[in-house]
Amino acid sequence: MREVSETVSANTQKRVTSQDVAREAGVARSTVSYVLNRTPHQTIPDSTRKRVLQAAERLGYTPSSAARTLRRGRSDVVLCILRAWPFGSAAGTLLAELTASFSERGLSLVTHIEGAGMKTPDKVWQEISPAAVLTYHPVPRDTERAMRSAGVQSVVVLFSAENETAGNLIRPDGRIGRMQAEHVIAAGHQRIGYAYPEPPALQDFAGPRLQGVKTVCSEAGLLPPDVCTVPLDAQSASNAIKHWQSLPQPVTAVCAYNDEVAQALIAGARLSRVDIPGELAIIGADDIPTAALATPPLTTIRIDHISEARRIVDTVTATLAGKEPPASWDTAELFTAVIRESA
Amino acid sequence: MREVSETVSANTQKRVTSQDVAREAGVARSTVSYVLNRTPHQTIPDSTRKRVLQAAERLGYTPSSAARTLRRGRSDVVLCILRAWPFGSAAGTLLAELTASFSERGLSLVTHIEGAGMKTPDKVWQEISPAAVLTYHPVPRDTERAMRSAGVQSVVVLFSAENETAGNLIRPDGRIGRMQAEHVIAAGHQRIGYAYPEPPALQDFAGPRLQGVKTVCSEAGLLPPDVCTVPLDAQSASNAIKHWQSLPQPVTAVCAYNDEVAQALIAGARLSRVDIPGELAIIGADDIPTAALATPPLTTIRIDHISEARRIVDTVTATLAGKEPPASWDTAELFTAVIRESA
DNA sequence: CTGTTAGCGCGTTCAC
DNA sequence: GTGAACGCGCTAACAG
């Protein structure tokens, strides 16, 4: 075993303040501030500037974010609040992209994953004073008010299963369902099933995706999709498949909420000796790393997290700057169908 | 489509301060502070207390965390810094547990996922002034110094592939490797392979796990494990399997870094028509949701994230309180072998 | 016992 | 280039 943890008890280091830098450089605190922030319209001779910079360097000066936040009224942090849904590698990828994009704009992203079985929803935003809060679920009116009076400038809800009227779409997941349905219909399927995820926390996401499938079915003049909730075990998936096949007009293609559900379906099909895609086509969503490893390899809809991230960052920075966020984006750049063998 | 985003541009609300509450309640600011913090040795009559509380409620008072942090020198935030490795649902589960446990101790957890391709490693801790920083990778000396002089009291490295001497083990991943090896050796295998992950970011984790396998092999008087790096695609996995089978003393059991790598191996075996577990036994790690869905269902080592979380929180709070962190834990409570069919 | 006054912590920014 | 006030909550010292 090679793991270690390093801890230290007391923090002996006394904080280096701008006062110290000023003293060291032989100038006033304000000068230090001007130099370090490259304040416009404050011309400071290079000699002084250099002295200050060197003093700061020598002393290892780190400005106190608390003091700056106090003064400026908001920090340069963006807080993303996530429910404790079982997220996969997709979330990690997106978050890494967001971090990079925000960072280019001088903002730091941190994420708060809500606690498992917590009584009171905690108020991290109070601790952070973020400039903006991102969520993937609706925020109650008074919570939002509380955030605002705590200094949060921008509250962006990236997702809501409630209402499609207002605002600009951030992630049009309905499009995923559409693409799934379009693919299997183009392949000649006439009766479609939908495999819905079991965890309640996921249903906010599942709703829009399912809705997309429904829309396309209706546009194509087909029956609406037959929806089964499919937990992540082979037996349940097998039962769902039996159900679909026993319908008066049997289902021949299933759109799964995501690739994990699709993998469960594949396992269930094997249990029931149902051939995929021969007897039943299956299409997933997300294109997780193991999707290509399934037997048969999973056809799925891939999400381009890097363009998603860029979009989110644009919206947030626009809002922070007091401008109108950009209009809804072209979803074509966001999702692509990855055709493999399962459908 | 039903997705919406809600944004608001300007923050019109002026901040409610303790001054406002004091005015509203007809008392001094300090009194407000005493009431709200339930300061010991300051007895305040219920009548006054109630007035203050109600005034605060009525005004929707939220103390400025920035001001408090400035005064106290540190916030009640714990920052967990994660590399952008492709983490699975395990990470989400652990983080949710950590959030809940820290919350019981009055601490808020936020996570920073490092950016994808970032030039300068960003210094989120400067923006947050966390009381503690958690990482799963070693922290350079001067980074740690910088953190400390920025007010961070406790830096806990949960993981290091470097050195096993100092400190108390937080997550003894070597034990995972041990358990994998012990399982297959008990099943009669004499020559073991190790499937190493490809992403460089994962190698910090893989090292200790592999080391555990090595140790057990050596203790059992076997040859050391034959190590192959196995990317997540069936063809590469198939090649690795061919390699193992072509060895003078062929490998009959493979310990995989994690369940995803194990799934790749299963896909590769199918490609090469190698029977699992008949011709090759495979054991994974992490017990991800889809592990049971594989064909054959994956034998794996499960990590108990809730006890892991508890342990981490204990260590951090002890360190923050200036006490010695508790001794190394009993790993038996942390890992359990989940025997299915692949090994 | 109840509550007030005063000053600190630290960076920012306006007026000179 | 400087002095000083400000943003806001905490808490020691002190008065009624």
Side-chain angles (χ1 to χ4, degrees):
Chain A
M1 284 183 279
R2 305 166 130 230
E3 313 73 26
V4 301
S5 102
E6 296 164 12
T7 60
V8 181
S9 41
N11 190 352
T12 5
Q13 336 262 330
K14 65 228 163 287
R15 180 167 249 301
V16 178
T17 74
S18 73
Q19 183 66 271
D20 299 324
V21 178
R23 205 189 339 270
E24 177 87 1
V27 296
R29 271 170 49 228
S30 40
T31 306
V32 173
S33 175
Y34 289 139
V35 169
L36 263 31
N37 298 330
R38 287 189 235 74
T39 309
H41 304 303
Q42 279 288 342
T43 31
I44 290 173
D46 268 5
S47 59
T48 309
R49 166 185 305 283
K50 205 144 287 174
R51 277 218 319 288
V52 171
L53 257 18
Q54 288 179 351
E57 171 70 16
R58 188 163 41 242
L59 267 41
Y61 170 63
T62 308
S64 150
S65 58
R68 189 191 12 222
T69 301
L70 176 57
R71 186 67 243 247
R72 293 224 266 243
R74 62 145 156 151
S75 70
D76 287 331
V77 171
V78 174
L79 174 66
C80 177
I81 302 178
L82 259 30
R83 293 243 170 100
W85 25 262
F87 43 68
S89 45
T93 312
L94 175 59
L95 258 10
E97 290 301 337
L98 281 174
T99 301
S101 297
F102 273 123
S103 167
E104 285 170 14
R105 305 295 225 298
L107 295 168
S108 299
L109 178 74
V110 296
T111 305
H112 175 78
I113 282 104
E114 290 187 344
M118 295 186 48
K119 57 283 135 194
T120 343
D122 46 10
K123 309 179 178 171
V124 215
W125 74 84
Q126 292 188 174
E127 294 291 339
I128 308 279
S129 303
V133 170
L134 256 43
T135 76
Y136 274 86
H137 56 263
V139 176
R141 273 267 159 275
D142 30 341
T143 303
E144 186 180 334
R145 233 195 315 277
M147 286 180 180
R148 291 194 177 282
S149 60
V152 177
Q153 294 231 340
S154 161
V155 178
V156 179
V157 177
L158 299 178
F159 219 94
S160 162
E162 302 245 309
N163 182 337
E164 57 169 308
T165 57
N168 50 331
L169 315 190
I170 295 290
R171 204 174 89 183
D173 269 34
R175 190 78 189 122
I176 293 176
R178 298 184 73 96
M179 290 177 75
Q180 289 179 314
E182 282 162 4
H183 177 75
V184 293
I185 289 174
H189 295 277
Q190 301 270 64
R191 180 64 161 126
I192 296 179
Y194 193 85
Y196 206 80
E198 190 188 36
L202 249 28
Q203 312 216 348
D204 280 350
F205 293 86
R209 293 186 180 189
L210 170 55
Q211 186 56 44
V213 175
K214 283 182 178 166
T215 305
V216 171
C217 284
S218 135
E219 287 170 3
L222 304 182
L223 286 176
D226 186 273
V227 180
C228 278
T229 295
V230 179
L232 291 187
D233 70 275
Q235 189 54 56
S236 307
S238 166
N239 294 342
I241 290 173
K242 279 187 201 116
H243 162 77
W244 280 319
Q245 296 195 318
S246 71
L247 254 26
Q249 187 183 342
V251 163
T252 60
V254 177
C255 302
Y257 161 68
N258 69 6
D259 289 343
E260 290 189 344
V261 173
Q263 280 186 37
L265 251 20
I266 287 179
R270 184 147 29 228
L271 215 59
S272 320
R273 309 199 175 290
V274 170
D275 179 57
I276 295 174
E279 297 172 72
L280 190 68
I282 294 178
I283 183 167
D286 290 355
D287 193 27
I288 64 177
T290 55
L293 301 175
T295 315
L298 208 50
T299 291
T300 186
I301 308 295
R302 174 184 298 159
I303 304 173
D304 179 1
H305 293 295
I306 117 160
S307 82
E308 182 181 5
R310 222 184 297 283
R311 180 65 179 202
I312 292 173
V313 172
D314 285 348
T315 302
V316 171
T317 48
T319 308
L320 285 182
K323 298 183 208 157
E324 256 333 272
S328 300
W329 51 11
D330 176 19
T331 54
E333 66 181 87
L334 190 53
F335 305 119
T336 53
V338 179
I339 316 296
R340 287 194 271 249
E341 297 172 27
S342 70
Chain B
M1 284 184 278
R2 305 169 128 230
E3 313 74 25
V4 303
S5 103
E6 297 164 12
T7 61
V8 181
S9 43
N11 189 354
T12 4
Q13 334 264 328
K14 65 232 161 283
R15 177 166 252 299
V16 177
T17 75
S18 72
Q19 184 64 271
D20 299 323
V21 178
R23 208 191 337 272
E24 177 86 1
V27 295
R29 275 174 42 228
S30 43
T31 307
V32 174
S33 177
Y34 288 139
V35 170
L36 263 29
N37 297 330
R38 288 190 235 72
T39 309
H41 304 303
Q42 275 290 339
T43 37
I44 290 173
D46 269 5
S47 58
T48 310
R49 166 186 305 283
K50 205 145 287 174
R51 278 218 318 291
V52 170
L53 258 17
Q54 288 179 352
E57 171 71 17
R58 187 164 40 244
L59 268 40
Y61 170 63
T62 309
S64 149
S65 57
R68 193 195 359 216
T69 300
L70 177 57
R71 186 67 241 254
R72 292 224 266 244
R74 62 143 156 152
S75 71
D76 287 330
V77 171
V78 175
L79 174 66
C80 179
I81 302 178
L82 259 32
R83 293 245 170 100
W85 24 261
F87 42 68
S89 46
T93 312
L94 175 59
L95 257 10
E97 290 301 336
L98 281 174
T99 301
S101 297
F102 273 123
S103 167
E104 284 170 15
R105 306 294 226 296
L107 296 169
S108 299
L109 178 73
V110 297
T111 305
H112 175 78
I113 283 102
E114 289 187 342
M118 295 184 49
K119 56 284 133 192
T120 342
D122 46 10
K123 308 179 178 171
V124 215
W125 76 84
Q126 292 189 173
E127 293 291 338
I128 308 279
S129 301
V133 170
L134 257 42
T135 76
Y136 274 86
H137 56 262
V139 176
R141 272 268 159 272
D142 30 339
T143 302
E144 187 179 334
R145 231 194 317 276
M147 286 181 180
R148 292 195 176 281
S149 60
V152 177
Q153 294 232 339
S154 161
V155 178
V156 180
V157 177
L158 298 179
F159 221 93
S160 162
E162 301 246 309
N163 184 336
E164 58 168 308
T165 56
N168 48 333
L169 314 190
I170 294 290
R171 204 174 91 183
D173 268 36
R175 190 79 188 121
I176 293 176
R178 299 185 72 96
M179 291 176 74
Q180 290 180 314
E182 281 161 4
H183 176 75
V184 296
I185 290 174
H189 295 278
Q190 301 270 64
R191 180 63 161 127
I192 296 179
Y194 193 85
Y196 206 81
E198 190 187 36
L202 248 28
Q203 312 217 346
D204 280 349
F205 292 86
R209 293 186 180 188
L210 170 56
Q211 187 56 45
V213 175
K214 283 183 179 168
T215 306
V216 172
C217 284
S218 134
E219 286 171 4
L222 304 182
L223 285 177
D226 186 273
V227 180
C228 280
T229 295
V230 179
L232 292 186
D233 70 275
Q235 190 53 57
S236 307
S238 166
N239 294 343
I241 290 174
K242 278 187 202 118
H243 162 76
W244 280 318
Q245 296 194 318
S246 70
L247 254 26
Q249 187 184 341
V251 163
T252 61
V254 177
C255 302
Y257 162 69
N258 70 4
D259 289 344
E260 290 188 344
V261 173
Q263 282 186 36
L265 252 18
I266 287 179
R270 184 147 30 230
L271 215 60
S272 321
R273 311 201 174 290
V274 170
D275 180 57
I276 295 174
E279 298 172 71
L280 190 68
I282 294 178
I283 183 166
D286 291 354
D287 194 28
I288 64 177
T290 55
L293 301 174
T295 313
L298 209 49
T299 291
T300 186
I301 308 294
R302 175 185 297 160
I303 303 174
D304 179 1
H305 294 295
I306 119 160
S307 84
E308 181 182 5
R310 222 184 297 283
R311 179 65 179 201
I312 292 173
V313 173
D314 285 347
T315 301
V316 171
T317 48
T319 307
L320 286 182
K323 298 182 208 157
E324 255 332 273
S328 300
W329 53 9
D330 177 19
T331 55
E333 66 180 87
L334 188 54
F335 305 119
T336 53
V338 179
I339 315 295
R340 287 194 273 250
E341 297 172 28
S342 71

